[in-house]
Amino acid sequence: MTRLTVIDNSGAKEIMCIGHVRNRNPAKLGDPIRAVVKSARHDGKVSRKDIVGAVVVRQRGRHMRRDGSTIRFQENAAVLLKRDLSAPIGTRVIGPVARELRASKYMKIVMMASRAADAPRSNSVQLVLQDI
């Protein structure tokens, strides 16, 4: 059961993954998951113990891209989605998100984010992003 930081303004601070929507184990960048809210702000759109959908936008483990580059973030992070996984709950995404979200149906999250993490074009380059 992995805990992830929530990087949108939905009101949740931390969630715990309780299952994968697609039967991929473990979930990778861009995969939808089911999660329970572990801590939340009192004035947010979601509250503690709510079961929500989410999409993984950052992961601590190395992610190998098709061009040979790898990307690794400093934390595991997610953006909350509605129960039917159609759209995000929040209206802002704080910090960078992975470029892999463009290929899936989460282009709206990429547009709300401050930036999408792109790796340099050379092979065997590791890009490590840290939150500032």
Side-chain angles (χ1 to χ4, degrees), residues 4-79:
L4 297 101
T5 305
V6 179
I7 60 166
D8 61 7
N9 63 346
S10 60
K13 295 179 187 174
E14 187 179 43
I15 59 174
M16 184 172 69
C17 177
I18 57 173
H20 307 291
V21 174
R22 298 180 195 142
N23 290 332
R24 180 180 285 175
N25 212 1
K28 300 287 184 195
L29 287 173
D31 286 346
I33 59 172
R34 289 277 178 221
V36 61
V37 178
K38 290 310 234 177
S39 65
R41 292 191 302 267
H42 62 88
D43 58 345
K45 296 177 186 173
V46 294
S47 59
R48 193 172 170 274
K49 298 183 184 177
D50 283 350
I51 296 176
V52 293
V55 63
V56 179
V57 295
R58 296 183 203 154
Q59 73 176 19
R60 281 186 58 87
R62 285 194 177 100
H63 178 76
M64 179 72 82
R65 290 185 169 162
R66 290 180 187 230
D67 63 356
S69 62
T70 60
I71 186 166
R72 189 176 75 180
F73 291 93
Q74 191 174 2
E75 64 181 351
N76 295 324
V79 172

